[in-house]
């Protein structure tokens, strides 16, 4: 029975992704963003549970990628599509522009396929993980919903949205080594980078809330730079 528990949590990730999509296409982007957060929590929990129970399988690995393709592949493309639709609603840009948002979905698929077949990524990542990419995108509707810094005109500007689409798509498949949040033990010496990241993340979220998410992902990349330079 225990070997099926991680897969059940993975299916919860998939369900949250489906619920996110239904809300996004219904125009309820804020609710969709919260379902993305739930999917990310489930995605983290299934791996944690699998390691705790010491169970793994080829089916579980494939199921995880399939669930991630929905929750962290299709979903960010849908969010970009909806935001670009709002940004181009004045008619100043061609109607096909919002479809460019799905570029991130294509590169997410490439990223997931690469991850499954890249033996270098057993203890770390090469390229931005799809959940991290999607959390950046999902933060945008939350920033708009709780716009305490007056960022709405900036976020809805097509140039920013298109630039972010291209940037995230590139980072997904970039040959950029990034550390993974996998704790084999709780010793500071072995997990200094991870503990620093979590502490700084908590501080940023406490102060900036949803607006902190893009900064958290930037911090994640920057903290990986010393490791990249060492290689």
């Amino acid at each position: 029975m225990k070997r099926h528990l991680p897969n059940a949590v993975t299916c919860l990730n998939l369900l949250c992704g489906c619920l996110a999509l239904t809300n996004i296409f219904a125009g309820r982007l804020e609710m969709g963003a919260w379902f993305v957060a739930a999917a990310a929590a489930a995605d983290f929990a299934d791996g944690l549970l699998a390691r705790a129970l010491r169970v793994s399988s080829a089916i579980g690995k494939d199921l995880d990628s399939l669930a991630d393709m929905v929750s962290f592949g299709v979903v960010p493309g849908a969010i970009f599509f909806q935001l670009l639709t709002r940004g181009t609603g004045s008619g100043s840009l061609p109607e096909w522009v919002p479809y460019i948002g799905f570029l991130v979905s294509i590169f997410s698929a490439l990223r997931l396929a690469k991850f499954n077949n890249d033996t270098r990524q057993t203890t770390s990542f090469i390229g931005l993980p799809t959940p991290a990419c999607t959390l950046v995108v999902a933060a945008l509707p939350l920033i708009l919903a709780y716009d305490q810094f007056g960022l709405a005109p900036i976020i809805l500007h097509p140039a920013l949205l298109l630039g972010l689409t291209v940037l995230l798509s590139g980072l997904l498949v970039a040959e950029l080594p990034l550390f993974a949040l996998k704790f084999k033990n709780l010793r500071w010496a072995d997990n200094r980078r991870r503990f620093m990241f979590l502490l700084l993340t908590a501080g940023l979220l406490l102060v900036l809330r949803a607006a902190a998410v893009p900064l958290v992902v930037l911090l994640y990349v920057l903290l990986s730079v010393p490791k990249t330079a060492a290689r």
Side-chain angles (χ1 to χ4, degrees):
M1 181 64 185
K2 70 177 184 179
R3 64 190 177 93
H4 296 297
L5 290 177
N7 290 346
V9 178
T10 301
C11 289
L12 179 60
N13 166 12
L14 175 58
L15 175 62
C16 289
C18 293
L19 293 173
L21 279 174
T22 58
N23 280 278
I24 291 164
F25 283 120
R28 298 186 293 270
L29 271 68
E30 180 187 352
M31 182 60 68
W34 287 118
F35 276 116
V36 167
D43 183 58
F44 180 78
D46 65 3
L48 197 65
L49 191 59
R51 289 190 293 274
L53 297 176
R54 296 181 181 179
V55 294
S56 63
S57 67
I59 290 177
K61 181 179 180 182
D62 290 341
L63 181 63
D64 186 68
S65 291
L66 290 168
D68 284 357
M69 186 56 219
V70 175
S71 299
F72 311 123
V74 182
V75 166
I79 293 174
F80 271 137
F81 174 81
Q82 290 287 63
L83 291 177
L84 281 164
T85 298
R86 294 183 184 182
T88 59
S90 61
S92 58
L93 291 174
E95 292 184 359
W96 53 264
V97 168
Y99 293 95
I100 297 176
F102 287 108
L103 187 68
V104 76
S105 299
I106 295 171
F107 277 86
S108 293
L110 292 171
R111 158 76 186 144
L112 289 167
K114 179 182 177 183
F115 178 79
N116 277 356
N117 294 278
D118 192 343
T119 56
R120 300 173 297 169
Q121 301 192 57
T122 54
T123 58
S124 61
F125 299 118
I126 297 178
L128 188 67
T130 53
C133 170
T134 303
L135 287 174
V136 172
V137 182
L140 301 179
L142 294 179
I143 295 172
L144 290 173
Y146 308 100
D147 191 12
Q148 55 183 334
F149 302 108
L151 298 174
I154 299 174
I155 289 174
L156 289 175
H157 197 289
L160 175 74
L161 293 170
L162 292 171
L164 194 56
T165 299
V166 173
L167 175 63
L168 291 173
S169 296
L171 287 174
L172 284 166
V173 296
E175 287 291 310
L176 180 65
L178 301 170
F179 67 90
L181 286 173
K182 295 179 180 178
F183 291 84
K184 293 183 179 180
N185 57 64
L186 295 178
R187 291 194 295 268
W188 172 264
D190 296 333
N191 299 286
R192 180 173 54 197
R193 196 189 311 269
R194 296 179 181 86
F195 283 129
M196 286 176 58
F197 173 71
L198 291 175
L199 288 172
L200 290 171
T201 295
L204 286 170
L205 290 173
L206 186 63
V207 175
L208 300 177
R209 299 183 182 179
V213 176
L215 296 178
V216 167
V217 174
L218 176 62
L219 175 66
Y220 175 51
V221 174
L222 290 177
L223 284 176
S224 297
V225 169
K227 183 177 181 179
T228 304
R231 293 189 177 188

